[in-house]
Amino acid sequence: MAGRIAAPPPAVLRMISGLRGALARLHRSTAPANVTMMEIVLGSWLTQAIYVAVRLGIPDELSTGPQRADEVAQRVGSHPGATYRLMRLLASYSILELRRDGRFELTRLGRTLRRDAPNSVAAMATMVGSRQHWEHWGSMEHSVRTGQTAIEAIRGVPTFDYMATDPEFAEIFNDAMTGASTLAIETAVPAYDFSDTRLIVDVGGGHGALLAAVLKQAPQARGVLFDLPSVVANAADLLESAGVASRCGIEGGSFFGAVPAGGDAYLLKAVIHDWDDEKSVAILRNVRTAIDPAGKLLLFELVLPEGAPAHLGMLVDLEMLVSAGGMERTEAQYAELLSRAGFRLSRVVFTPGPVSIIEAVPV
């Protein structure tokens, strides 16, 4: 298909991931065990340093070129000496580079912390380092002991109900999810061929960023964006700006009730991982009822490897435990879940990013 970017073969992606894991294990084995463990334990301090740098706008200030710490401090309104110490730490982790002339500049890693960067992770750093998120992870022991979310224990209500009462955290969370969604869209959508689709239904699709990207790749198709009425109420502008509004309908509702019928491709991005098995099966059964008999279900999710190799999904899985009440799953677990809902897992499409596409067909 013209304009489609071919993803590396799955075997190559797995080999690269395995190599990175082996290098990490080699690194950990070259120092005394207590030193290595201390570095791991203090990782949360580095996270908070990154958060503060993003909140102050230090990476944004350095986007115009190298600057001394006192110059940056004057522009962002911080203490010069403390700012130097913060920037020096970030330079020690290759997020910044300290030049011989005493000026700091952004590295390849540091550029991802600019808010205007194409693949920015600034919003995610802001969420992970936020006061509220630290409070939730501070009660992780409760989640491990009980299997229940820390948010519900602290706030008294489930995650999404809590965010309705905390507009500040809701905005931080939504910005982080938008950033993560952009990463998934840019790496996953080009890895799948949508050229044979006619009607694409994006279930839980937010403001339509994923559906817009897919429709731009599939000019022969029409789309339906489906999410809660309060969510899709603000979706028209995004679809219009993407140039796909004329081919895309918008419907409001809950995927626990029913989803739009007749589609030959149903997209669910980062939906199933938010829920336990029973609720996930309920969502998938509603899709099974609605889907064209020859259609395909496409789940955009992290897919955990078997065993315990290094994988981003292992950390995200604990975030699901602490915050959402859902979980990340292996390919075998997804196959079992889909089978309970009337689908057969046909393949997993691995992509250059952390998100894979789980393809399933109705049976």
Side-chain angles (χ1 to χ4, degrees):
M1 179 177 177
R4 183 167 170 258
I5 301 173
V12 174
L13 293 172
R14 289 193 183 99
M15 181 181 69
I16 293 172
S17 179
L19 178 60
R20 292 175 61 189
L23 290 173
R25 289 191 293 273
L26 177 62
H27 170 73
R28 290 193 293 267
S29 68
T30 56
N34 59 342
V35 174
T36 300
M37 181 52 66
M38 184 65 75
E39 291 176 348
I40 294 172
V41 167
L42 299 185
S44 61
W45 294 3
L46 176 60
T47 297
Q48 193 65 6
I50 294 170
Y51 164 79
V52 171
V54 170
R55 289 279 293 176
L56 290 173
I58 290 174
D60 300 318
E61 287 297 329
L62 292 176
S63 64
T64 58
Q67 296 183 51
R68 298 181 64 86
D70 56 351
E71 297 171 328
V72 172
Q74 184 177 12
R75 288 182 171 86
V76 303
S78 59
H79 184 277
T83 302
Y84 175 83
R85 293 160 67 181
L86 172 64
M87 295 174 71
R88 179 180 59 185
L89 169 68
L90 298 181
S92 75
Y93 280 89
S94 300
I95 296 169
L96 304 179
E97 180 180 344
L98 177 55
R99 295 160 50 113
R100 290 184 178 180
D101 63 5
R103 294 186 297 169
F104 290 89
E105 65 180 337
L106 292 171
T107 64
R108 172 175 165 269
L109 290 178
R111 286 192 289 273
T112 68
L113 296 176
R114 288 172 44 185
R115 295 187 183 279
D116 63 349
N119 296 311
S120 176
V121 296
M124 183 61 72
T126 301
M127 186 195 80
V128 174
S130 69
R131 168 185 56 81
Q132 296 94 327
H133 194 265
W134 273 62
E135 290 173 357
H136 301 156
W137 272 70
S139 293
M140 181 181 173
E141 181 182 344
H142 168 81
S143 296
V144 175
R145 286 185 179 276
T146 66
Q148 301 170 354
T149 67
I151 285 185
E152 202 155 0
I154 298 172
R155 313 298 182 187
V157 292
T159 300
F160 297 108
D161 291 340
Y162 161 64
M163 284 194 288
T165 69
D166 188 342
E168 177 194 25
F169 185 66
E171 181 178 0
I172 291 171
F173 175 85
N174 289 331
D175 287 346
M177 294 305 101
T178 298
S181 179
T182 299
L183 175 62
I185 291 167
E186 291 180 350
T187 58
V189 172
Y192 194 86
D193 186 358
F194 293 93
S195 61
D196 62 349
T197 55
R198 295 177 294 101
L199 179 61
I200 302 167
V201 182
D202 190 356
V203 177
H207 291 169
L210 172 63
L211 182 57
V214 171
L215 289 175
K216 288 167 73 173
Q217 187 171 297
Q220 80 292 340
R222 295 181 298 110
V224 176
L225 177 65
F226 179 77
D227 209 320
L228 294 172
S230 60
V231 175
V232 297
N234 300 313
D237 289 346
L238 187 152
L239 298 172
E240 187 68 40
S241 64
V244 300
S246 63
R247 293 190 286 132
C248 188
I250 299 174
E251 295 188 27
S254 168
F255 46 52
F256 287 115
V259 303
D264 61 345
Y266 281 75
L267 317 178
L268 284 80
K269 182 183 66 61
V271 170
I272 298 303
H273 82 154
D274 278 340
W275 306 98
D276 62 23
D277 284 355
E278 294 306 314
K279 289 186 173 65
S280 294
V281 169
I283 296 167
L284 293 171
R285 282 178 177 162
N286 286 334
V287 176
R288 177 64 183 86
T289 299
I291 195 170
D292 184 281
K296 295 177 182 177
L297 167 64
L298 304 174
L299 307 181
F300 290 69
E301 298 279 4
L302 299 175
V303 178
L304 296 181
E306 297 290 347
H311 192 278
L312 176 65
M314 306 294 184
L315 279 172
V316 180
D317 181 51
L318 288 185
E319 170 69 8
M320 294 299 102
L321 172 66
V322 168
S323 299
M327 66 187 74
E328 304 301 334
R329 297 173 173 89
T330 65
E331 181 176 344
Q333 288 173 319
Y334 272 113
E336 195 275 335
L337 200 68
L338 288 161
S339 177
R340 289 174 56 188
F343 287 96
R344 175 178 58 83
L345 192 156
S346 51
R347 62 173 174 150
V348 174
V349 179
F350 294 95
T351 76
V355 173
S356 299
I357 302 174
I358 304 156
E359 181 190 79
V361 295
V363 294

